[in-house]
Amino acid sequence: MVRDVSINRRQFNRLALFGGASLASQSYSFFFPKPAEAYNLDFSLRDFSTGQVFTRLQRLSAARPVPGVLTPILQGGAGGGQIESGAANVIRRADQGLQRNNFIQSRTELARAGTGTAASSLWGRQRQEGFGNNVGFAFIQNFQGDFSDARLSGPTMTGIHNAQPVLSTQRLSPLEIAGSTLPVRSTFDALGGWEGDNGSGVAFQQYRTALGMVTTRYDLRQPGRGGFGDVQMRIEAYDQPTRVISVRVRFT
């Protein structure tokens, strides 16, 4: 007898988010390409800060603050039992990377987003650039006791910050929003500014999420205050339409 092992979107998402994140990435080629939805948004850097990003992550992707833990870790502590053994050194290394790139202002608390192998610890810092604020976030991931860090700055964080409300209006749960937009088991350092990578005016990024893949492209269109750049974020997640979210970022 052949059993029917088909699963619907919610069942698959729960499987990925609660411990089977590798299934989404391993099965990537089976699920895409899919129909695409396009969104065009306008965003001002006046509304971009670590505090605003951190608040939205809590509200829309169920990031849970762990107050009073990050400072002791950065000062050489182990996290007082609130952080997994082995994570403290990776947190310190990731924060040093933020600071080396001049993300030294307005540090947030540490928070946890996701669950199981789709969980990560995250926090943000910001720096002031000629065009306006640039927000950088570090993500610490734990896969079977192996900790890695990913660091994202303005262009990609702008995409995440603007994409999450779109996904919320599509009735995705907070865990699904986190699983569609936040990096999981990725190791990279993308801390460029509004002038693009190495001042080229262009920046690219791609990373795996619990439910699929995110690809971003940033183009500086009009430099200087009063100018703008364009972020395009392509979100691919299991059994969801591919969402292409274009954000015009207006400098202040």
Side-chain angles (χ1 to χ4, degrees), residues 6 14 27 31 77 85 109 136 152 178 183 232 247:
S6 62
R14 286 180 62 83
S27 305
F31 301 140
S85 176
E109 295 280 0
L152 301 174
Q232 184 181 83
V247 184

Side-chain angles (χ1 to χ4, degrees), residues 68-172:
V69 171
L70 185 55
T71 295
I73 289 176
L74 298 182
Q75 293 174 346
Q82 298 190 69
I83 293 296
E84 300 92 333
S85 176
N89 285 336
V90 181
I91 289 173
R92 282 190 285 269
R93 182 184 70 203
D95 196 69
Q96 288 166 4
L98 289 175
Q99 294 192 64
R100 278 196 305 272
N101 286 273
N102 294 318
F103 290 89
I104 57 177
Q105 302 170 354
S106 304
R107 196 200 75 203
T108 71
E109 295 280 0
L110 188 77
R112 296 273 183 79
T115 188
T117 57
S120 63
S121 299
L122 56 94
W123 70 98
R125 290 180 179 268
Q126 71 186 53
R127 73 185 184 198
Q128 181 66 37
E129 297 182 3
F131 298 169
N133 283 339
N134 190 338
V135 169
F137 265 73
F139 300 81
I140 306 300
Q141 304 136 129
N142 178 7
F143 179 63
Q144 297 180 349
D146 182 20
F147 293 92
S148 61
D149 63 287
R151 285 165 284 197
L152 301 174
S153 65
T156 302
M157 288 308 302
T158 296
I160 292 172
H161 186 61
N162 284 273
Q164 291 200 339
V166 172
L167 299 183
S168 180
T169 63
Q170 300 298 310
R171 299 183 181 276
L172 271 69

Side-chain angles (χ1 to χ4, degrees), residues 13-31:
N13 288 354
R14 286 180 62 83
L15 175 64
L17 292 169
F18 284 90
S22 61
L23 179 57
S25 57
Q26 291 171 355
S27 305
Y28 180 84
S29 61
F30 292 102
F31 301 140

